[in-house]
Amino acid sequence: MFELLFSLASIGIVVWLLMIVLPTWRVTRFIADLKIFPIYLSILYIVGIITVIFMNGIGFMQYFSSATGVIQLLSEPNFALLVWIHLLCFDLFVGHFIYQENLEYRFIPLPLQSIILFLTLMFGPLGLLTYVVLRKARNREGS
């Protein structure tokens, strides 16, 4: 079942490609405004986590308190796939934030936005931090 959830989550790449390659296209804006894909990924994650809890209880949470425990959890394939969906969901949410805020306020040029969205897709926090730093620098210039 977790491989099916993983496969279903893979469609999120379409939104990333639209935001990166066609940021001003009205279809891209429409899809981003709906936030349908972060919601969709959230639903997939919820289905997965409820399945984990139903099958195993909440005892897995005890493993979150140590690096060894987290490694042990991530070595279990179904849990690793679920964590991947978790990451996809949050990265896409952050990507939506960057995309929508920058289209509204134009803190950075669109080609740079595309690079930052790619960084966010591939390296999550690096893309977010890059955007926040550049946005802050731009705000200082405008003051």
Side-chain angles (χ1 to χ4, degrees):
M1 170 162 118
F2 292 92
E3 288 183 20
L4 174 61
L5 292 175
F6 174 82
S7 295
L8 292 171
S10 298
I11 195 164
I13 193 68
V14 171
V15 178
W16 280 108
L17 290 173
L18 289 173
M19 291 190 307
I20 291 169
V21 178
L22 300 168
T24 59
W25 189 33
R26 66 182 170 86
V27 173
T28 306
R29 288 179 180 229
F30 177 75
I31 290 171
D33 285 344
L34 288 177
K35 294 180 180 58
I36 191 83
F37 281 94
I39 293 168
Y40 169 73
L41 291 176
S42 295
I43 291 168
L44 293 180
Y45 176 78
I46 290 167
V47 167
I49 198 67
I50 287 172
T51 302
V52 165
I53 291 169
F54 183 73
M55 291 170 50
N56 306 311
I58 59 170
F60 68 90
M61 292 171 55
Q62 69 184 336
Y63 294 100
F64 293 160
S65 63
S66 72
T68 303
V70 171
I71 291 167
Q72 185 176 347
L73 276 176
L74 291 175
S75 68
E76 198 278 304
N78 289 338
F79 202 84
L81 290 175
L82 187 58
V83 169
W84 181 250
I85 294 169
H86 181 280
L87 292 171
L88 291 174
C89 181
F90 272 84
D91 287 352
L92 187 55
F93 179 80
V94 170
H96 266 77
F97 165 76
I98 293 168
Y99 171 83
Q100 290 184 306
E101 184 182 80
N102 193 57
L103 280 185
E104 184 174 344
Y105 299 107
R106 297 295 170 116
F107 293 119
I108 57 173
L110 290 179
L112 184 54
Q113 172 186 292
S114 292
I115 293 168
I116 290 171
L117 287 173
F118 179 76
L119 287 175
T120 305
L121 168 63
M122 299 306 295
F123 308 109
L126 176 61
L128 176 61
L129 181 61
T130 302
Y131 176 71
V132 169
V133 167
L134 291 174
R135 181 182 70 182
K136 187 73 167 171
R138 175 69 189 262
N139 280 344
R140 284 194 178 153
E141 285 176 12
S143 299

